Amino acid sequence: MMREYERFMGLAAELMRAALDSWRAGNRRFAVLHAGMGCEHALKAVLCKVDPTFISDRSDRAFKFHAHGFGDQPGVPPLIQGRTIGLADSFKDASVVMQGRMPVSLQDFNQVIDDRNGVAHSAYHVEDRAGKTLSVAIKVAEATRKHLSVPSSDFWGDYELVFGDLAQVASLAAVGGGAAASNMEEAAETLARTEAAYAVDAVVPVVTSIVSTLPRWGSMRRSKDHQREITESVLRASVCTALSAVSRRAQQAAEALLAEHGLLPLPPEPHVPWPRGLSGRAWLNEVIRVEQPRRTQAANVLTVRLLVSRAVTEAFFGALRPNIPEGFDKTPTERGWYIGVTQPSAEAEIVFDCPGCSTPGMTGELQGQLEFDDCGCADYCSHPERTRTTARFERLHCPACSLTLTDPHEIEAAGFELSMDWDE
């Protein structure tokens, strides 16, 4: 049976080859994303070989117990709720385990962390440094491969002789000759520019028409301050309506582009049965292995959604501010200015800074349901009536940029947990 670290390393190899595929096809954004994900799996493989609980997050109460055969004990959450450490902690801990054989410093590796998170969580991408980021990631992945004695041909595949030379990788023919693969990032950026231009064209007439028309609606019984309040209220509503219209149009266009390139719809979530006699740890590894292709596809989908969302909101507010006349609030994202669209209420809701909006102050909602179960605490218990309340999140929505995620792997790729202890 394949051991834990071998499964993580197998996934790391797939992702690093995918990163080189993307670089070869000219998709710099996806190359950085895949390389960051590949490094995380490779670093966790190093930790798992020593002890699988090394990758258990401090708040985890599932993975660490299941990993050592205590998953059937009262109070232990299901394995699916297990939480593992992130990329930064994986690097720090693996550096300790590798005892001086890590080829780069944390300061250097921070570029991989920042760029991977930038692409995955906020569509932020610096084209000029993608090559350096990928090079650092390759050094780390290669060091972990050597540390775990994985054959180079197994890990790098067709890139065994060239993985260290990105110029040579880029000179190879596009993978499979597929136009969809080679043009994905270019098509997404072209769409983002098109929708951004549409947003600019939409906002200017709205502001100028409202500001120029409403003052003529005054009367002798209405003070200037009252007229200003009316104008600003109508302006707010009009701006929010315009933003909602252009952002929804942009997200629909992004979905059409993703479908054209075969990234949507996402395949059904795979069901991994838990055979009798299989340990919880082995089952979790199988789940990770089976789900990884879908997780990678979901991360690619989210990257395009965020790219388009950020371009539209940046363009919209960039055009809005200089067209708002003196005397009116120039920062429409401050509390009380933006009028959000009311969404169906949920049992569990968390307000967050939207990863798709470029302007600080824009917030969205993570919505879900509450589940109640016996806490299983042996002695002292702080849970009300010995009941643990868990929030299961199912939907992420921002009323400003219309970013809406209902797929669990997309929500996770955006940096949010699917569940949390609601009592804390």
Side-chain angles (χ1 to χ4, degrees):
M1 182 179 294
M2 187 178 291
R3 289 165 290 186
E4 291 85 353
Y5 80 89
E6 291 174 335
R7 292 185 186 277
F8 271 104
M9 207 56 179
L11 295 173
E14 290 180 17
L15 287 163
M16 292 307 298
R17 292 195 297 268
L20 293 174
D21 286 344
S22 295
W23 184 267
R24 180 178 174 180
N27 298 339
R28 303 295 185 252
R29 192 184 304 269
F30 294 138
V32 168
L33 177 66
H34 293 152
M37 296 169 67
C39 275
E40 183 169 344
H41 282 79
L43 294 166
K44 287 180 176 177
V46 170
L47 298 174
C48 275
K49 187 171 185 182
V50 180
D51 186 340
T53 60
F54 274 15
I55 69 171
S56 178
D57 185 78
R58 282 178 293 181
S59 63
D60 171 68
R61 296 191 68 257
F63 185 84
K64 63 183 178 183
F65 287 120
H66 283 273
H68 286 294
F70 298 103
D72 59 347
Q73 295 302 303
V76 177
L79 191 56
I80 198 68
Q81 295 181 29
R83 297 180 182 179
T84 60
I85 57 178
L87 180 55
D89 286 337
S90 296
F91 179 85
K92 295 174 186 176
D93 295 352
S95 296
V96 174
V97 171
M98 293 173 67
Q99 300 178 319
R101 291 187 292 273
M102 186 67 75
V104 302
S105 66
L106 175 60
Q107 183 177 1
D108 291 333
F109 192 69
N110 277 334
Q111 181 164 320
V112 177
I113 297 172
D114 292 342
D115 287 5
R116 193 287 301 263
N117 291 342
V119 173
H121 305 330
S122 60
Y124 178 76
H125 172 64
V126 181
E127 181 79 19
D128 293 344
R129 70 184 212 175
K132 182 180 178 182
T133 299
L134 183 55
S135 295
V136 172
I138 288 172
K139 288 180 181 178
V140 171
E142 175 64 3
T144 61
R145 181 198 69 77
K146 291 179 178 178
H147 178 78
L148 296 175
S149 301
V150 177
S152 180
S153 58
D154 291 349
F155 190 87
W156 295 109
D158 294 339
Y159 296 106
E160 181 184 7
L161 301 179
V162 298
F163 68 86
D165 186 344
L166 293 181
Q168 195 169 351
V169 172
S171 69
L172 300 174
V175 183
S182 62
N183 295 332
M184 180 67 246
E185 184 173 342
E186 181 181 351
E189 291 180 341
T190 298
L191 174 64
R193 289 192 294 270
T194 300
E195 295 303 319
Y198 183 85
V200 171
D201 291 342
V203 70
V204 175
V206 168
V207 176
T208 54
S209 63
I210 294 297
V211 172
S212 63
T213 302
L214 280 182
R216 296 201 297 267
W217 295 358
S219 69
M220 295 179 63
R221 291 178 297 175
R222 182 179 298 152
S223 67
K224 291 182 178 179
D225 288 342
H226 188 190
Q227 178 60 55
R228 179 184 176 282
E229 290 177 1
I230 293 175
T231 303
E232 189 167 78
S233 295
V234 176
L235 180 59
R236 291 175 184 172
S238 300
V239 166
C240 293
T241 300
L243 176 58
S244 177
V246 297
S247 62
R248 288 185 184 184
R249 166 196 155 105
Q251 287 299 317
Q252 290 170 355
E255 291 192 354
L257 178 67
L258 289 163
E260 178 185 342
H261 286 261
L263 293 177
L264 281 182
L266 289 167
E269 289 189 68
H271 171 67
V272 183
W274 195 337
R276 184 183 299 276
L278 185 68
S279 70
R281 191 165 65 186
W283 176 77
L284 178 60
N285 288 326
E286 182 63 13
V287 171
I288 293 172
R289 183 188 69 79
V290 172
E291 285 188 346
Q292 187 56 52
R294 191 182 192 280
R295 288 180 179 276
T296 301
Q297 183 174 336
N300 290 342
V301 169
L302 179 65
T303 298
V304 174
R305 292 190 197 275
L306 295 180
L307 170 65
V308 173
S309 177
R310 176 169 287 266
V312 168
T313 53
E314 281 184 348
F316 186 92
F317 287 109
L320 174 64
R321 289 192 186 93
N323 284 281
I324 295 178
E326 293 300 324
F328 290 91
D329 193 345
K330 294 280 187 177
T331 55
T333 59
E334 290 184 353
R335 185 178 180 181
W337 214 109
Y338 183 74
I339 304 172
V341 180
T342 302
Q343 297 298 319
S345 60
E347 292 181 352
E349 294 184 347
I350 293 179
V351 176
F352 61 89
D353 289 334
C354 177
C357 291
S358 62
T359 309
M362 284 298 184
T363 59
E365 289 184 338
L366 192 62
Q367 301 176 329
Q369 304 300 319
L370 296 178
E371 294 181 359
F372 307 91
D373 60 277
D374 182 13
C375 66
C377 297
D379 298 311
Y380 171 75
C381 179
S382 61
H383 296 103
E385 301 181 357
R386 299 186 68 82
T387 299
R388 173 181 284 110
T389 306
T390 304
R392 307 282 183 208
F393 296 112
E394 304 164 344
R395 183 176 187 268
L396 180 152
H397 176 74
C398 176
C401 68
S402 297
L403 178 69
T404 302
L405 308 177
T406 56
D407 184 85
H409 290 158
E410 278 197 81
I411 294 175
E412 285 187 312
F416 297 94
E417 297 283 354
L418 293 176
S419 66
M420 66 174 293
D421 189 340
W422 201 247
D423 299 321
E424 294 183 351

